[in-house]
Amino acid sequence: MLFNSIPFLVFIVVFFAIKPLVWKRDSSRWWWILLMSCLFYGWWDWRFLFLLLGTGTVDYFCGKFLHKDYYKKFFLWLSIVSNIGSLIIFKYSLFLAESLDAIFLYFGLSSHFSQSIPAFSLVLPVGISFYTFNSLSYTIDLYRNKAKPADSWLHFMAFISFFPHLVAGPIIRARDILSQLKRHEIINSLELYNGIKTCIYGLFQKMVLADNLAVYVNNCFDRVDASMGTLSWWFCMLAFSFQIYFDFNGYSTIARGIAKICGIHFKLNFNHPYLASGFSDFWKRWHISLSSFFRDYVYISMGGSRKGKLRAEYNRWITMLLSGLWHGANYTFLLWGAAHALMLSIENALKGLIKGLLTARLWRLFTFIVVVLTWVLFRSESLTDAINVYTGLFSWHNTPVKEIVLTNAFIWLILAAAIEWIDWRSYLSKLSKFPVIEAAFFALLIAITIYFRGPEQQFIYFQF
Amino acid sequence: MLVFVPIWIVLLGFLLPRLPSSPMLREAFWAVKVNDTKLYDIVFVGDSRIYRGVDTKFLSQMNMSAFNFGFSSASPDSLLITHALKKLNPKGLKIIVIGVSANSFMTSSINNTHFKSVQAWSNKDKWIKTNIYPKLNFFDHHALSDIYKFYKGEAYYENYDLMTGYAASDRYPFDSSSALSPYKQQFENESYSYSAETAFKSKVLQLKSLGYEPILVRMPCAQSMINLEDSATNNSVKKLLTSISNQGVLVMPTFNSSDFLSYDGSHLSSQSARHFTELFMQYLKDSTSILDERNK
């Protein structure tokens, strides 16, 4: 069920209409969250509910044993195998099999691993990368004695399946959410109002900014043509940079808004990433919940920067490559991760040189341009497409500027950049000093979302 | 906020121009096309030249029910024809009119991507698009560039007739050469599929033997477009139509391009679409043998 769809509108109305009746009683609140989350998830494909509930149940029991210090390593590994195993089966099996076939072929041997993959594993369950990571963080935190176990299976499953974050994050930690879900107070009208405003702004980002930009980007990538025109490709990549940002940030913002109305606080997932001062700063601002997951559970687990500079570089590269692969089973994502790892290494090596005001500003600009260029790998469906796009970007083919300026995407790109700047300067939050103007403004955002929404597009991060 | 929301919605709704092509109706148009279960005397099959070129509701003047089953870049392959046949009333005239162009057998068309993508919509989506979208089209989304073009007098019009599958279309200003360049590019980059052409020919003959009345038509368009298609495919369409006609299948005679107006060189303007439909009706009347045979 998409946040920007009619079925979700009906769903959310029903959810909040019944909520006051069930929220105060402890058991009914947990059951209500679980049932509605299952409906939300099952709307897409009910069969994969069993996978969600199955891996969740394994993690719940692993957590029980971990807390009792009972065969801790065994149960930690059981949880890791269960989560990463389901990821490998449903997300990476075809990629691995095709890679093996290619390796065998390289040595003149014939293999048919990719044809032996069972059909069920070719369908990617929505949100699998997110809920397996939510679940993993729970067992790893228990192993490290950094969290308390869930009181019951129902509590744990309600946390894992809580619908605002279920299919596209943000990746949340049990230690942050379980205690909040236990609270049964109905939120006050100001919190409700703030939650609604957050949802409206998220919907605006997704449906107006991202979806209008998507039309142009999709046209370019549907049939990648290196000779399309250099300016068109640069414009396309700029449009995609803002599309993916507003698409994913829009989703996270709506998720935060809905959670806020339920009295739950989700941490910020994006913090104006395109204004980052460098690559390291970019990763502190982009998809924060995923970056911090990889930092805490991969980079630091491997020793972080405690074992010398060379080892720190190695750890960083592994973390970034895994982060790339997390996004999709394709070499393009692996290269995307590698490109960022390389830039982080270069930045680390040049740390001393980019301290001056001018060099710092140039580095900020350079970071933005390189981030835009790496999105080519992220958006392309194959390496051939990516090479074609890079050829289009760096070889001169004339494009009439008028052709770009008169597109709908161009107007929205300018507006998107302006809105991002307004948001960065916190002008929107300053509106709260003028309640009437603020109410009129958010009402106007609703009307603009209705009349200027782009053609309906799925959230980009659903595919991960 | 609750007070401001309806004010803004009504205000913007009335201030914004009503754009000639409704995106919500477009979605509904395709959903109805694949969902509709009514039965007809005549069904038209083909690509965008068919669904923008045959004003099917006019055929009711001859007391015939007709439906336009055209899709963008469609190829009249077995899949599309089989679906079209399901719309024919077994007790009716059982006439299937098939639009043929050089484009019908190019590699990008023979996949019937548009038709398949509409068919692939989930039943939930189809239901929502068929039943909800037509009622909500006041809330259609507006592209800022379309508003600009609208006030500048440049616009592409597509008015969808959900009942008959016809989309009346026009473009201002008219430019009967604007489609030439993309078509030329297509002919350079793709190949004409002779195997698809052979399969089509046997399908048409099979239809005839099964008691259907197939009528083949090469839709009129700009003369420069016809020349381009013929030279790029070595007159394949002409040869195909002659060969099928020699085997007793009805083929509409070729048209004088100057009698029609094409806004881009490929598609007929709404006025010319009406004109073509009238010519088709006349052709049907002239081919009395079919009607007499059927009316017996």
Side-chain angles (χ1 to χ4, degrees):
Chain A
M1 209 181 280
L2 297 168
F3 281 169
N4 54 336
S5 65
I6 293 172
F8 183 74
L9 188 67
V10 176
F11 170 87
I12 204 72
V13 167
V14 172
F15 179 82
F16 284 116
I18 309 281
K19 183 179 162 262
L21 306 175
V22 295
W23 213 250
K24 288 219 162 172
R25 270 191 61 197
D26 214 30
S27 62
S28 61
R29 181 174 69 253
W30 294 100
W31 275 113
W32 182 240
I33 293 172
L34 181 58
L35 284 174
M36 289 305 275
S37 299
C38 286
L39 175 66
F40 174 83
Y41 192 75
W43 187 262
W44 168 71
D45 192 333
W46 61 270
R47 292 169 303 172
F48 287 112
L49 273 174
F50 294 108
L51 183 69
L52 170 71
L53 297 173
T55 53
T57 304
V58 170
D59 286 326
Y60 169 70
F61 284 108
C62 284
K64 279 245 165 212
F65 291 116
L66 282 166
H67 182 62
K68 287 177 182 167
D69 283 346
Y70 192 78
Y71 288 107
K72 277 184 93 167
K73 279 213 162 156
F74 171 76
F75 285 106
L76 174 69
W77 278 105
L78 181 64
S79 166
I80 292 173
V81 168
S82 152
N83 286 296
I84 303 296
S86 60
L87 264 180
I88 289 174
I89 291 170
F90 288 99
K91 190 167 175 177
Y92 299 106
S93 53
L94 185 64
F95 172 69
L96 292 172
E98 283 176 347
S99 302
L100 277 176
D101 285 344
I103 293 168
F104 274 86
L105 195 67
Y106 182 77
F107 290 107
L109 300 165
S110 157
S111 65
H112 302 286
F113 292 112
S114 53
Q115 287 164 23
S116 327
I117 305 271
F120 72 87
S121 68
L122 297 175
V123 184
L124 181 67
V126 165
I128 187 168
S129 307
F130 290 94
Y131 67 72
T132 48
F133 272 34
N134 287 333
S135 224
L136 263 180
S137 73
Y138 170 75
T139 47
I140 297 173
D141 280 352
L142 280 174
Y143 178 81
R144 291 175 175 174
N145 293 320
K146 282 187 173 175
K148 287 180 182 169
D151 290 349
S152 66
W153 176 86
L154 178 62
H155 286 203
F156 180 71
M157 288 315 301
F159 147 68
I160 286 295
S161 65
F162 187 41
F163 69 89
H165 73 80
L166 178 59
V167 291
I171 295 165
I172 53 173
R173 313 278 174 99
R175 60 177 187 238
D176 297 330
I177 300 301
L178 274 171
S179 56
Q180 295 190 59
L181 281 169
K182 280 181 188 167
R183 288 202 303 255
H184 57 75
E185 297 93 17
I186 300 286
I187 58 162
N188 64 38
S189 54
L190 183 66
E191 287 168 318
L192 175 71
Y193 183 56
N194 284 335
I196 291 171
K197 280 190 310 189
T198 311
C199 288
I200 293 170
Y201 189 51
L203 280 169
F204 170 77
Q205 290 184 77
K206 161 65 184 159
M207 294 172 72
V208 181
L209 301 178
D211 287 355
N212 275 300
L213 293 171
V215 178
Y216 188 89
V217 176
N218 292 348
N219 275 340
C220 295
F221 276 91
D222 276 351
R223 196 182 287 180
V224 173
D225 175 11
S227 62
M228 183 175 83
T230 311
L231 281 180
S232 299
W233 274 119
W234 278 98
F235 170 62
C236 171
M237 288 321 301
L238 267 179
F240 179 67
S241 305
F242 279 91
Q243 181 208 340
I244 191 170
Y245 170 54
F246 283 116
D247 187 284
F248 195 18
N249 188 28
Y251 189 94
S252 300
T253 308
I254 302 166
R256 289 180 66 228
I258 296 169
K260 211 178 261 187
I261 300 172
C262 295
I264 313 289
H265 174 71
F266 283 176
K267 287 179 183 165
L268 207 63
N269 209 18
F270 290 85
N271 184 20
H272 310 291
Y274 294 140
L275 295 164
S277 58
F279 293 93
S280 167
D281 190 30
F282 174 79
W283 283 104
K284 285 176 191 151
R285 293 161 174 264
W286 179 273
H287 202 173
I288 299 166
S289 62
L290 180 74
S291 317
S292 51
F293 181 95
F294 274 105
R295 184 197 61 212
D296 294 347
Y297 300 114
V298 181
Y299 182 70
I300 290 175
S301 296
M302 291 169 74
S305 56
R306 297 188 305 270
K307 295 181 178 174
K309 281 186 177 176
L310 206 63
R311 179 60 196 237
E313 285 303 318
Y314 171 79
N315 292 344
R316 181 177 294 129
W317 272 78
I318 295 293
T319 307
M320 290 312 293
L321 290 176
L322 285 176
S323 163
L325 263 187
W326 177 88
H327 285 87
N330 197 328
Y331 288 107
T332 51
F333 290 111
L334 202 62
L335 277 177
W336 175 73
H340 274 276
L342 177 69
M343 296 318 298
L344 284 167
S345 297
I346 292 173
E347 185 174 83
N348 211 27
L350 298 177
K351 213 184 273 174
L353 294 173
I354 45 179
K355 277 184 180 162
L357 187 66
L358 182 67
T359 43
R361 282 188 177 176
L362 284 174
W363 190 256
R364 186 190 292 264
L365 180 67
F366 177 73
T367 303
F368 175 69
I369 294 169
V370 174
V371 166
V372 170
L373 287 173
T374 54
W375 287 133
V376 172
L377 291 162
F378 197 94
R379 179 61 179 80
S380 300
E381 280 171 19
S382 65
L383 282 177
T384 320
D385 276 1
I387 291 166
N388 281 331
V389 177
Y390 282 124
T391 310
L393 285 164
F394 292 106
S395 59
W396 181 252
H397 291 279
N398 195 28
T399 320
V401 177
K402 199 182 159 193
E403 259 181 35
I404 296 175
V405 173
L406 288 181
T407 56
N408 194 44
F410 182 82
I411 306 167
W412 282 113
L413 182 63
I414 303 288
L415 289 172
I419 287 161
E420 175 61 359
W421 183 79
I422 290 168
D423 197 13
W424 173 62
R425 299 301 299 254
S426 305
Y427 288 135
L428 287 182
S429 48
K430 283 174 190 162
L431 273 179
S432 59
K433 288 177 192 161
F434 313 99
V436 178
I437 296 174
E438 186 189 43
F441 173 77
F442 278 96
L444 179 63
L445 276 192
I446 294 177
I448 289 174
T449 306
I450 289 172
Y451 290 114
F452 291 101
R453 70 194 185 279
E456 189 179 305
Q457 311 274 339
Q458 201 177 42
F459 287 91
I460 294 175
Y461 266 68
F462 270 31
Q463 61 187 299
F464 307 136
Chain B
M1 197 193 294
L2 286 173
V3 178
F4 285 115
V5 171
I7 294 174
W8 281 123
I9 289 176
V10 173
L11 203 65
L12 276 184
F14 285 104
L15 282 178
L16 288 170
R18 301 305 303 157
L19 294 176
S21 304
S22 157
M24 291 186 98
L25 280 183
R26 186 194 304 134
E27 298 283 297
F29 177 72
W30 297 117
V32 169
K33 237 181 217 208
V34 290
N35 252 1
D36 178 55
T37 51
K38 285 192 213 100
L39 296 173
Y40 302 90
D41 293 317
I42 307 180
V43 172
F44 291 80
V45 194
D47 58 13
S48 52
R49 288 188 193 169
I50 285 286
Y51 81 73
R52 293 177 194 172
V54 188
D55 192 347
T56 0
K57 70 173 179 296
F58 267 77
L59 279 112
S60 61
Q61 291 173 6
M62 290 174 77
N63 292 324
M64 286 178 189
S65 58
F67 191 77
N68 196 320
F69 199 59
F71 288 85
S72 297
S73 298
S75 178
D77 65 356
S78 183
L79 177 79
L80 192 69
I81 291 176
T82 307
H83 275 83
L85 293 181
K86 287 180 191 162
K87 293 190 177 294
L88 279 176
N89 184 354
K91 291 172 187 165
L93 295 171
K94 296 211 297 188
I95 297 174
I96 177 164
V97 184
I98 307 173
V100 181
S101 70
N103 198 47
S104 313
F105 303 107
M106 300 305 289
T107 36
S108 62
S109 299
I110 54 178
N111 293 325
N112 264 325
T113 314
H114 179 220
F115 171 61
K116 284 177 187 166
S117 71
V118 177
Q119 257 202 319
W121 287 347
S122 69
N123 287 337
K124 275 179 281 189
D125 271 356
K126 283 180 197 162
W127 188 88
I128 289 170
K129 286 175 181 178
T130 305
N131 298 290
I132 311 284
Y133 278 24
K135 295 175 181 74
L136 291 181
N137 77 314
F138 177 79
F139 300 108
D140 254 322
H141 60 87
H142 291 61
L144 290 173
S145 52
D146 285 348
I147 296 173
Y148 170 75
K149 284 179 188 165
F150 178 81
Y151 283 118
K152 220 181 146 202
E154 290 175 15
Y156 173 64
Y157 289 72
E158 216 167 52
N159 291 319
Y160 309 98
D161 188 344
L162 271 56
M163 302 298 287
T164 67
Y166 163 64
S169 62
D170 280 304
R171 188 191 293 275
Y172 297 108
F174 273 45
D175 178 3
S176 61
S177 63
S178 64
L180 277 176
S181 169
Y183 271 82
K184 199 175 168 201
Q185 212 172 4
Q186 189 193 10
F187 289 128
E188 281 167 4
N189 296 336
E190 295 176 22
S191 53
Y192 184 89
S193 169
Y194 287 97
S195 58
E197 190 200 272
T198 312
F200 169 70
K201 195 173 158 183
S202 16
K203 184 72 192 174
V204 171
L205 295 175
Q206 187 198 18
L207 288 176
K208 183 94 180 151
S209 66
L210 288 172
Y212 293 100
E213 195 59 63
I215 301 177
L216 270 52
V217 57
R218 185 179 189 180
M219 291 296 289
C221 53
Q223 191 56 47
S224 49
M225 180 63 79
I226 293 172
N227 295 343
L228 172 70
E229 289 185 350
D230 286 344
S231 64
T233 61
N234 194 20
N235 291 315
S236 294
V237 176
K238 272 185 191 166
K239 288 176 196 166
L240 171 73
L241 293 179
T242 312
S243 141
I244 292 183
S245 170
N246 289 340
Q247 300 200 43
V249 175
L250 288 173
V251 175
M252 275 189 85
T254 45
F255 304 94
N256 186 354
S257 295
S258 58
D259 293 343
F260 300 90
L261 198 59
S262 168
Y263 53 81
D264 61 356
S266 176
H267 304 98
L268 296 183
S269 67
S270 55
Q271 200 183 349
S272 285
R274 278 197 294 276
H275 178 50
F276 171 79
T277 314
E278 283 161 5
L279 286 180
F280 175 80
M281 285 156 65
Q282 189 57 48
Y283 173 77
L284 214 53
K285 274 180 198 160
D286 294 344
S287 308
T288 45
S289 59
I290 314 170
L291 298 174
D292 289 348
E293 192 69 23
R294 299 281 173 207
N295 291 337
K296 267 181 195 173

